[in-house]
Amino acid sequence: MKRALFYRWLFFIIGLIVLALGFTMTIKGSKLGIGPWDVLHVGLYLNFGLTIGTWSVIAGFTIIAITAFFTRQVPQIGTFLNMVLVGIFIDIFNYLIPDIHTLVGQIIILSAGIVISGYGVGLYVSPKIGAGPRDSLMMLLVHKTGLSISVVRAGIEVGVALLGWLLGGPVGIGTIAVALLTGRIVQQSLPQFEKLLVILIGDKENQSHVLKV
């Protein structure tokens, strides 16, 4: 039991750190356009101040409230931890990672950020301690509509990017890449980490249902 709990929390915490690192890397590639949710966070930052990480927390709390209303369920503690910790880690990584000004550097860090954030989602969601606000909304819509993760995530992120763009957030080819590719990466990474977790803790009950592509 302790072994299972240890690995589940290890996957969760490391996943959040990896996710925040990926998000920050895409923000550093902002000349090409940043991720849809970050377009919204940056747009809010430009209009109302505070920090990008703070707006990530505020947006997350709003989504938690909406999701809880429709599911009639109290979110897991992991959902609240995700909301707070990802925002904190984004601000930390944003401070630690230097700005990149060359086009080649921007392309590299944006591309790496997309892959890293996609694997971060799969890593922290796999132990089922609680999906983050945005991913809880995504999974809710996947279950309600029967559509795949990639389709639902792309639809959400296109709408969010449009709202962020209206607020002045940076939109570009990178935004489109994040919206279209992240869901597909998550669809690959989530079952991989679920299988790895089952192997590490030897608990078949932690294995998820396979989602359609």
Side-chain angles (χ1 to χ4, degrees), residues 14-64:
I14 293 178
L16 294 185
I17 295 172
V18 172
L19 176 61
L21 174 61
F23 282 167
T24 307
M25 292 172 73
T26 61
I27 292 173
K28 292 294 180 177
S30 61
K31 289 183 180 178
L32 299 171
I34 58 180
W37 284 104
D38 292 317
V39 172
L40 176 61
H41 302 153
V42 171
L44 291 167
Y45 159 73
L46 293 173
N47 284 273
F48 305 106
L50 302 179
T51 67
I52 297 172
T54 299
W55 281 114
S56 174
V57 173
I58 293 172
F61 182 81
T62 303
I63 296 168
I64 285 176

Side-chain angles (χ1 to χ4, degrees), residues 138-208:
M138 175 186 71
M139 298 306 292
L140 171 65
L141 292 176
V142 166
H143 292 141
K144 290 291 185 182
T145 64
L147 299 173
S148 69
I149 289 176
S150 55
V151 171
V152 171
R153 191 178 186 103
I156 292 172
E157 294 193 336
V158 167
V160 170
L162 179 59
L163 177 59
W165 175 73
L166 293 173
L167 290 170
V171 174
I173 187 67
T175 308
I176 298 172
V178 172
L180 296 181
L181 297 178
T182 303
R184 292 198 173 275
I185 295 171
V186 173
Q187 197 150 335
Q188 297 299 316
S189 67
L190 180 55
Q192 290 172 3
F193 285 121
E194 286 174 340
K195 290 176 182 177
L196 177 58
L197 187 61
V198 168
I199 292 171
L200 289 172
I201 67 178
D203 185 358
K204 295 296 183 181
E205 292 182 1
N206 280 284
Q207 199 164 14
S208 312

